[in-house]
Amino acid sequence: MLILNWLKDNLFSQTALFLGLIVAVGLMLQKKSIGDILKGFISATLGYYIFNTGAGSIGGLAMVMGNLLRPTLHVEAGVNPFSSQTFIGLGYAIEYIAPRITICFITTWTVHLLLVKFIKPLKVVYLTMHNILSFTATFYMFFYTIMGYEGIVLDMLAGGCTLLYITLTPMLVYKDCMDVTGGGFALGHFNQLGAWIAGPIAPFFGNPEKENAESMSLPGWLRSISDGGLSIAVSLPVAYIFVWAVVVLVGSEEAIELLRQNAGSTNTFLYMVLTALQLAAAIYILLYGLRMFLGELLPAFQGISEKFIPDAIPGIDTVAFYAVSPNAVVITMIAYMAGAVLTTIVCMIVHTPVLVIFQLASAFSESCAIGAIANRRGGWKACIAAGLLEGIIATVAAGFFASGLGILDQGIAQANFDSCAFPALIFYLFRLFR
């Protein structure tokens, strides 16, 4: 027991150290040099601490919208769908589940590799590791804080739900991905369900041979706003300015006074813009740290998986599909944003209990695989139809996600179609037995 307690206190509860050691072991198995092993250990450990710095700043900044919208519109909550990386930070902030998340994350992916290796219909190895980590943390939060599960039951449910998603959903769009990429790679992101919906509806809207989006000429400024990093810095101030306008124009005295108190001596409009930019900076820090430690973890595991499952197809980030169909992605992104904004306006008009703020930050990444598949099966008109539909559904799903997870006070939700819809389904199914 003394040994187990020592390991718990000094290894399993020290996530940065544990992660660094996992990377070091993986590199040792690949017979890397001592210098590479040391670099991998330090980069993974340091990257985790940088990630934690960004994660610690996000919570309060993210709650500003919800806090102002509740008294303004008399709604139960104002849900702003931020990046799913936020939920990794929130999960690690809970002392009981923090050390379990990393172990479960690694175990889940290892079991996923075994399933792909030994079950022949499964062909896609899910390689977008931060998504696996995000789902693992999210399910841990739900099953621990809402359902009250602990121990092995908690671990099995969090890992099992994550495993179900990363193993089965890539096969829904496997054939479409092979067609679009020429057999090069498959989709392994928070996008499979959304892209799967886009496939069947696309043929109803046009002829892909005559109306291919890639034969169109789009203005250069459209391409510039499709930069994934820039979209965060641009879209967050847009969302915060929208909330500022709502509070100033229709807000109650309570909401306006709260806004003034938050701003202090700073102009309220400028305060909202600066808060949004601070949040964007925190997300950048979090993403930098995340890329840093996953940049070491992924090669350490991927090298093993390539030797272990040589015939498998890599399932990678949806952004990779931008290289296949850039015009289709931009067209889909604009339609997606229109659908998301429309949903927010409808929520305000009909006074829904939960006001869902449009999610522009994820519009680009969401639209990559959806646009590429929709264009291949129905041309540019299908891109518009799929983008509009999925922008609406994803924004609505964010409200159900936040409600099901029980974090309405925080006013935040995941940012992608699948990362809202799939967990929300799990949440409500289990709540039936609560």
Side-chain angles (χ1 to χ4, degrees):
M1 286 301 299
L2 287 174
I3 294 173
L4 290 176
N5 284 331
W6 188 92
L7 289 173
K8 176 180 73 67
D9 295 335
N10 296 281
L11 180 60
F12 297 130
S13 63
Q14 301 296 327
T15 306
L17 175 62
F18 180 78
L19 195 63
L21 289 175
I22 289 294
V23 169
V25 170
L27 294 174
M28 287 178 189
L29 292 175
Q30 295 179 54
K31 300 181 179 179
K32 296 291 185 179
S33 68
I34 293 177
D36 287 340
I37 294 171
L38 184 61
K39 173 182 173 294
F41 172 80
I42 294 174
S43 296
T45 305
L46 181 61
Y48 180 81
Y49 283 126
I50 293 172
F51 152 79
N52 250 6
T53 301
S57 303
I58 286 175
L61 296 169
M63 292 173 62
V64 169
M65 283 189 178
N67 291 340
L68 291 172
L69 285 171
R70 282 195 295 274
T72 299
L73 299 173
H74 307 290
V75 296
E76 184 178 350
V79 176
N80 181 51
F82 284 116
S83 172
S84 58
Q85 314 312 331
T86 305
F87 288 81
I88 302 175
L90 291 175
Y92 276 108
I94 300 175
E95 182 178 359
Y96 180 79
I97 66 176
R100 312 179 85 95
I101 292 173
T102 301
I103 300 171
C104 183
F105 155 63
I106 294 170
T107 303
T108 298
W109 195 67
T110 302
V111 174
H112 165 67
L113 292 180
L114 292 171
L115 292 176
V116 175
K117 180 176 177 64
F118 293 111
I119 301 178
K120 291 196 177 291
L122 300 176
K123 298 180 182 296
V124 181
V125 175
Y126 197 104
L127 294 178
T128 314
M129 304 297 279
H130 62 276
N131 286 353
I132 305 176
L133 187 59
S134 176
F135 258 175
T136 305
T138 300
F139 285 122
Y140 261 110
M141 282 193 289
F142 171 73
F143 287 119
Y144 178 67
T145 62
I146 300 300
M147 300 303 298
Y149 299 142
E150 296 184 359
I152 189 66
V153 174
L154 173 64
D155 300 328
M156 292 292 289
L157 286 172
C161 291
T162 304
L163 180 66
L164 183 69
Y165 179 81
I166 66 173
T167 303
L168 298 184
T169 60
M171 295 308 301
L172 293 174
V173 288
Y174 172 76
K175 291 183 179 179
D176 279 327
C177 291
M178 293 299 96
D179 183 34
V180 167
T181 67
F185 55 87
L187 179 62
H189 195 67
F190 277 157
N191 226 182
Q192 290 82 250
L193 295 176
W196 176 60
I197 291 173
I201 68 173
F204 292 101
F205 292 92
N207 185 327
E209 299 298 327
K210 297 179 180 180
E211 300 172 322
N212 193 301
E214 300 315 310
S215 60
M216 302 171 66
S217 179
L218 297 179
W221 65 271
L222 283 180
R223 293 184 182 278
S224 67
I225 66 171
S226 65
D227 176 77
L230 182 63
S231 67
I232 295 176
V234 172
S235 61
L236 285 178
V238 170
Y240 274 70
I241 290 171
F242 173 82
V243 172
W244 173 86
V246 171
V247 173
V248 170
L249 295 176
V250 299
S252 63
E253 289 185 9
E254 178 188 354
I256 293 174
E257 181 59 28
L258 178 61
L259 176 60
R260 288 172 178 162
Q261 288 178 3
N262 288 347
S265 60
T266 306
N267 176 270
T268 56
F269 176 85
L270 185 59
Y271 161 76
M272 292 297 280
V273 173
L274 293 177
T275 301
L277 292 176
Q278 289 179 61
L279 179 58
I283 292 174
Y284 268 99
I285 293 170
L286 182 145
L287 289 175
Y288 180 82
L290 192 64
R291 291 189 187 109
M292 194 171 175
F293 77 73
L294 288 182
E296 297 298 333
L297 182 65
L298 183 56
F301 274 92
Q302 193 171 346
I304 299 171
S305 71
E306 287 173 354
K307 297 177 183 178
F308 187 58
I309 320 173
D311 297 326
I313 297 293
I316 60 178
D317 196 304
T318 177
V319 176
F321 286 80
Y322 178 74
V324 178
S325 299
N327 283 0
V329 172
V330 173
I331 293 170
T332 306
M333 179 184 67
I334 294 171
Y336 184 101
M337 289 192 292
V341 172
L342 178 64
T343 305
T344 295
I345 293 172
V346 170
C347 286
M348 294 178 64
I349 292 173
V350 301
H351 298 288
T352 56
V354 178
L355 174 65
V356 185
I357 305 298
F358 48 84
Q359 47 179 356
L360 302 187
S362 63
F364 169 63
S365 62
E366 279 282 86
S367 299
C368 287
I370 292 171
I373 291 173
N375 182 55
R376 180 57 66 99
R377 299 188 66 173
W380 66 268
K381 292 179 183 176
C383 293
I384 294 175
L388 185 65
L389 174 64
E390 306 217 26
I392 294 171
I393 298 175
T395 308
V396 171
F400 284 99
F401 173 95
S403 178
L405 186 56
I407 57 168
L408 286 175
D409 286 344
Q410 282 78 8
I412 49 179
Q414 303 264 34
N416 296 86
F417 186 104
D418 290 24
S419 63
C420 290
F422 179 75
L425 177 63
I426 299 295
F427 297 161
Y428 284 101
L429 284 175
F430 273 87
R431 278 174 174 271
L432 293 175
F433 304 99
R434 189 180 172 192

